Amino acid sequence: MAPGTLLRAPLLLLELLTVGLAQLVIPASVTRGFWALPENLTVVEGASVELQCGVSTPGSAVQWAKDGLLLGPDPRIPGFPRYRLEGDPAKGEFHLHIEACDLSDDAQYECQVGRSETGPELLSPRVILSILGMVPPKVLQLTPEAGTLVTWVAGQEYVVSCMSGDAKPAPDITILLSGQTIFDISANVNEGSQQKLFTVEATARVTPQSSDNGQLLVCEASSPALDAPIKASFTMNVLFPPGPPVIEWPGQDEGHVRAGQSLELPCVSRGGNPLATLQWLKNGQPVSTAWGTEHTQAVARSMLVMTVRPEHHGARLSCESHNSVSAGTQERGITLQVTFPPSAIIILGSASQAENKNVTVSCVSKSSRPRVLLRWWLGWRQLLPTEETVMDDHGSNKGGSRDVSCVSAGDWDGLRPLARWMGVLWSPCLKLTPCQGLHGGHISMSNLTFLARREDNGLTLTCEAFSEAFTKDTFKKSLTLNVKYPAQKLWIEGPPEGQKLRAGTRVRLVCLAIGGNPEPSLTWYKKGFVWAGSTNPVGGVGGGVGGWWKRQGYQRPVTPGPQDSRTVTESRLPQEPRRVQLSSVEKSGSTFSRELVLVTGPSDNQAKFTCKAGQLSASTKLAVQFPPTNVTILANASALRPGDALNLTCISVSSNPPVNLSWDKEGERWEFEGSPSLVWPRPLQAGPAPAQPLSSLWLYSQPWPDSTTHGRVHRLEGVAAPPRSAPFKGSASARSVLLLVSSRDHGHRVTCRAHSAELHETVSSFYRLNVLCMCPGQKAPLDAFLTLNYSLDRPEFLGEQVLVVTAVEQGEALLPVSVSANPAPEAFNWTFRGYRLSPAGGPRHRILSSGALQLWNVTRADDGLYQLHCQNSEGTAEALVRLDVHYAPTIRALQDPTEVNIGGSVDIVCTVDANPILPGMFSWERLGEDEEDQSLDDMEKISKGPMGRLRIHHAKLAQAGAYQCIVDNGVAPPARGLVRLVVRFAPQVEHPTTLTKVAAAGDSTSSATLHCRARGVPNIVFTWTKNGVPLDLQDPRYTEHTYHQGGVHSSLLTIANVSAAQDYALFTCTATNPLGSDHTNIQLVSISRPDPPSGLKLVNLTPHSVGLEWKPGFDGGLPQRFRIRYEALETPGFHYVDVLPPQATTFTLTGLQPSTRYRVWLLASNALGDSGLAAKGTQLPITTPGLDQPSGEPEDQLPTEPMAGKSSVP
């Protein structure tokens, strides 16, 4: 029964008592000398009470005693401010009055009368003042600590204690496991820290199961002083093994796959805490250690993705699962059966042969599963092989192959590359056949010999591999049959020789040949040089006119003088670059052709074009007519004065046929009609013309009317030089003229024309005369002096001139102008940052007729002051207009992550670039799934200019996470920035009981691994000590692996070659970071017999069976098994039953008799022995029910205890 139940009855009785209710009856013999006596009273805490004392002999000294302590005769009772004496002493009234009673007033009181002349010393009977006060328990102290996550292992027994604080009456304590009340608890009532107060300590033994994982263990304290029970709880993290792995094979035929298939195999393990760690192995070697977990479904999954290859045939894929409390690794495996085609087919031998000779080839396939057959095709005609061989895995012959003589050493060396390509072993003797294919496959070979015929040339010779297993796939290897035979006739098709072709004419020359294999190589030559397809033949004789001047004895033109006195060459209209197209050899039936297409030029005149094919050749020539490419005028002087003589010579370069040269002179204002022009008639000579002409040689020319109304054009006659030979089989011409110039010739042009009557084409060049003189000016027109008489004012900006213009980025802006001026402003000039904006406009601006500046696609770089200059004949005016460009905010700085120590303060600072800057444009959000976690009520938001702050005071772990800074200044879109708040805290090492003891053989050959895991930020550094001495990790026997994932850190210490003398010790793992440290102890012990199991209890009972459950103890580092020993008390002798499976922790014992008393023991054993019964054995008394009694779970569970008097197991 709980202690609170024992106290509840009298307390309820006391609550029924009222002030003045007598508890005891005072005997009459005690009342002598008193006329009023105190009585036992019970009052409620806080009430006032008065204890009566009437004395029959007034004048005596009277005082009260409280629990033997005399309070004194002073009515005010010093030291007790709530106590005083009431009544008239003259009447003998000495009543004790107590105000606002509390628990300190709960005591025994008596009234004492001192000896006097009128009477003896008197004592009243002792009375009890009971204060009916209730003090509720304020706290519950739970061990393990309340509010924490306590890690337990399923099936093991743990002790939980719960202690209440000071209370009155003593509270009732109840312990609940996953909502179920635990009845088997012990409770002790102890005195509290003050008198009259009590504390209660309750202890319970609990055995968590996997179903308790994540549930609460709750301690409740109830009391009449409480309106509702107070509670303390912690969450149970119950560790238990996962379920076995399951491989979900896609499809029906497990293990059967095809090479090239992308295989995705999911492995699933359900349950377990922690969830299972999964890994994939191929032939016992890990291939994938990646896995994922779904905590909501308590499932661990690992997906193995692989592309199946032939070498995977026969491989065993297995999935293993385990966790930290698994007794061993669970495994599920599948063996692959891979179907794969031959990876390649090779044809040995040459498919090139002269006609009417035999072609011999062999076809070999690489390993395949299943085997493939080979067949030959020439075009669409199937050929029968001369030999076929199909080899199985052991090299047995499945076809009708013929024996091949033993290969010599030299021949064998030639076959080695083929053997390496096939990946097989070859026998250098007996037969030329493979012995075994790779990956359990098969190899096929086929030999073929046939006669090469001309009509088969170009057909495809194909070796095809086929099998019923690969009906959708075709595996082929092909060669093109090349039957060689000689070439035949060759000729050229093109314009007939002697046909005149004008330059620029497109000419097509085709070289044709009949027959021949290999195909004839048709090559074009020009003048004996190979034409490689470029503009000119490689190394060909082109020949230009660059050096023709000197070859003909003429001087280069003089250097041009001033701008108005220069030689101007008017060539023909610009010609496109000469184009030559040389095609590749084309085939049409048995005819081969190669086309040469060219646009004729001067260099093609009388050139020989030749086509060759082997020993055959054909040639043709072209007759090309062409005008001169240009006409050049040579002058003996550049600057002239009136009366000077000017000698001009006109030279025409090569042309076919020759051209006629003539001179023209034109004047813009012809005022000297009929005036003679001088001609220099003598033949053109090398060197400059004479300084003065010979008077006997002047010639006159007659003018003719021009079509214009401003002058006349005179045709000048000159003397022509005889034609001379020129490049490209053409002719060159020259003609000179001598002129006397006057001031009126200034700026006039003298033109030389080269005319070809046959080609109907003229090429001309002119020379502009530069005559130095004092020329009369022109009179201005009369209307230039007619103006209107206005009031003249310089520009002045009006008061309504806009000085600030606002625009949005990527939008438009108009900077207006309000100006008054007379005359109207001549120009509006805008400048920005020292640069003048073009009045003609630009890509993003234009200046309107009103002077306003219009901008579009404005950017923040356009923000600033624009200066306007307005000008007319009376002066200038200036104005400054500011363009304020508004643009959306951009986050420039946001420290991510922002770190703070737990309990500290920090600012998350968000700096932006924006216009305008608004006071309330910053806002903050916390990102998370739980809406309660998104509250920012406990954080301070500060905004100043372009900087916003989120200030966190007294940072807590719950505040760590992602935050978002949002900035909105009214220009879309708002800016958003993500920042993580990292709360740094000292390490917290996990202390799972399963890892506090590790066993290993101390034979210097075994190894042991110690696990240490902690949480903390920033990163944790682990250190290890052995028996308090720092561990030397430089020792090769010690290996530490550290893993970090977020705020979780792990250290695995592996001890190799464990020595009993050196390593059986207490290892301490310490986790440290800048904020602190924490540690845990792990004991490394020897492999030994297992510890006895604990917590043996009855879970089910029938007349013939009993269900048992227990917690395994430390297994001693070896697999352990359990055995049950039992006896019937009325029958001598023991019975033994082995628990199956060996690792089970529950068992049903059968074969019992009804209504019989039994005693049951449980023993654990491993390879080194059993746990024994003497000191640590576990026994359980059981009485089976009768046949007429109901079966089921037992109502009361008796505690297990060691059996006395037994030292060994019989």
Side-chain angles (χ1 to χ4, degrees), residues 1138-1182:
D1138 289 330
V1139 174
L1140 295 175
Q1143 304 296 328
T1145 57
T1146 59
F1147 187 74
T1148 300
L1149 181 63
T1150 60
L1152 306 182
Q1153 298 299 320
S1155 303
T1156 304
R1157 292 189 302 156
Y1158 290 91
R1159 190 172 295 163
V1160 179
W1161 292 265
L1162 179 64
L1163 301 91
S1165 64
N1166 60 18
L1168 298 181
D1170 58 52
S1171 57
L1173 295 174
K1176 301 180 180 178
T1178 303
Q1179 68 157 338
L1180 183 66
I1182 297 171

Side-chain angles (χ1 to χ4, degrees), residues 91-224:
K91 296 180 181 179
E93 297 175 351
F94 298 92
H95 310 312
L96 178 62
H97 185 85
I98 303 174
E99 290 286 342
C101 295
D102 59 19
L103 293 178
S104 65
D105 302 325
D106 191 313
Q108 291 183 348
Y109 295 85
E110 65 179 3
C111 182
Q112 298 182 1
V113 180
R115 186 183 299 276
S116 67
E117 296 178 354
T118 59
E121 180 181 5
L122 300 175
L123 297 175
S124 72
R126 293 184 176 181
V127 296
I128 298 175
L129 176 60
S130 298
I131 305 302
L132 188 61
M134 294 186 294
V135 177
K138 296 182 179 179
V139 294
L140 288 177
Q141 182 177 349
L142 185 61
T143 305
E145 184 180 357
T148 62
L149 181 68
V150 178
T151 300
W152 286 342
V153 178
Q156 294 188 13
E157 185 178 87
Y158 299 88
V159 176
V160 177
S161 64
C162 183
M163 178 180 290
S164 71
D166 291 343
K168 182 182 179 183
D172 286 336
I173 293 182
T174 305
I175 298 179
L176 299 95
L177 177 68
S178 300
Q180 302 296 321
T181 302
I182 299 176
F183 297 101
D184 185 13
I185 66 173
S186 60
N188 295 320
V189 180
N190 304 311
E191 292 184 357
S193 60
Q194 301 178 16
Q195 292 183 358
K196 312 300 181 180
L197 298 181
F198 308 92
T199 64
V200 179
E201 182 177 7
T203 303
R205 293 180 177 272
V206 297
T207 304
Q209 304 300 323
S210 60
S211 58
D212 298 325
N213 182 45
Q215 302 296 318
L216 294 177
L217 187 143
V218 181
C219 175
E220 290 185 354
S222 58
S223 170

Side-chain angles (χ1 to χ4, degrees), residues 966-991:
I966 305 173
V967 189
D968 187 358
N969 67 345
V971 182
R976 297 176 181 268
L978 185 67
V979 60
R980 293 165 295 159
L981 177 64
V982 177
V983 179
R984 297 177 293 199
F985 59 98
Q988 301 171 357
V989 177
E990 298 179 359
H991 303 272

Side-chain angles (χ1 to χ4, degrees), residues 847-890:
I847 300 175
L848 304 181
S849 58
S850 62
L853 176 62
Q854 184 179 20
L855 303 171
W856 53 88
N857 295 334
V858 295
T859 67
R860 64 195 69 183
D862 299 327
D863 186 282
L865 291 174
Y866 288 77
Q867 188 173 19
L868 170 61
H869 300 263
C870 184
Q871 180 179 0
N872 68 2
S873 59
E874 298 302 309
T876 62
E878 294 183 356
L880 291 177
V881 181
R882 175 175 176 80
L883 177 61
D884 186 14
V885 180
H886 289 189
Y887 50 89
T890 302

Side-chain angles (χ1 to χ4, degrees), residues 214-238:
Q215 302 296 318
L216 294 177
L217 187 143
V218 181
C219 175
E220 290 185 354
S222 58
S223 170
L226 294 171
D227 294 333
I230 62 173
K231 299 180 181 181
S233 64
F234 59 79
T235 302
M236 295 177 289
N237 179 33
V238 182

Side-chain angles (χ1 to χ4, degrees), residues 751-884:
T751 303
C752 176
R753 304 180 187 276
H755 179 69
S756 174
E758 188 171 350
L759 298 180
H760 305 287
E761 188 168 348
T762 300
V763 179
S764 63
S765 177
F766 69 88
Y767 183 86
R768 188 179 298 277
L769 299 177
N770 178 26
V771 182
L772 304 180
C773 64
M774 294 296 294
C775 301
Q778 295 181 346
K779 294 183 179 181
L782 180 61
D783 56 3
F785 297 94
L786 297 179
T787 60
L788 296 177
N789 185 14
Y790 288 104
S791 175
L792 304 179
D793 293 306
R794 69 180 182 86
E796 180 179 352
F797 289 96
L798 302 180
E800 60 266 21
Q801 172 65 41
V802 177
L803 301 181
V804 178
V805 175
T806 300
V808 178
E809 192 168 35
Q810 302 304 322
E812 294 187 1
L814 182 65
L815 279 60
V817 175
S818 298
V819 65
S820 172
N822 184 28
E826 300 171 358
F828 296 93
N829 294 320
W830 289 87
T831 59
F832 178 60
R833 296 179 182 174
Y835 293 96
R836 180 185 177 189
L837 302 183
S838 172
R844 295 192 302 111
H845 84 276
R846 66 174 175 176
I847 300 175
L848 304 181
S849 58
S850 62
L853 176 62
Q854 184 179 20
L855 303 171
W856 53 88
N857 295 334
V858 295
T859 67
R860 64 195 69 183
D862 299 327
D863 186 282
L865 291 174
Y866 288 77
Q867 188 173 19
L868 170 61
H869 300 263
C870 184
Q871 180 179 0
N872 68 2
S873 59
E874 298 302 309
T876 62
E878 294 183 356
L880 291 177
V881 181
R882 175 175 176 80
L883 177 61
D884 186 14

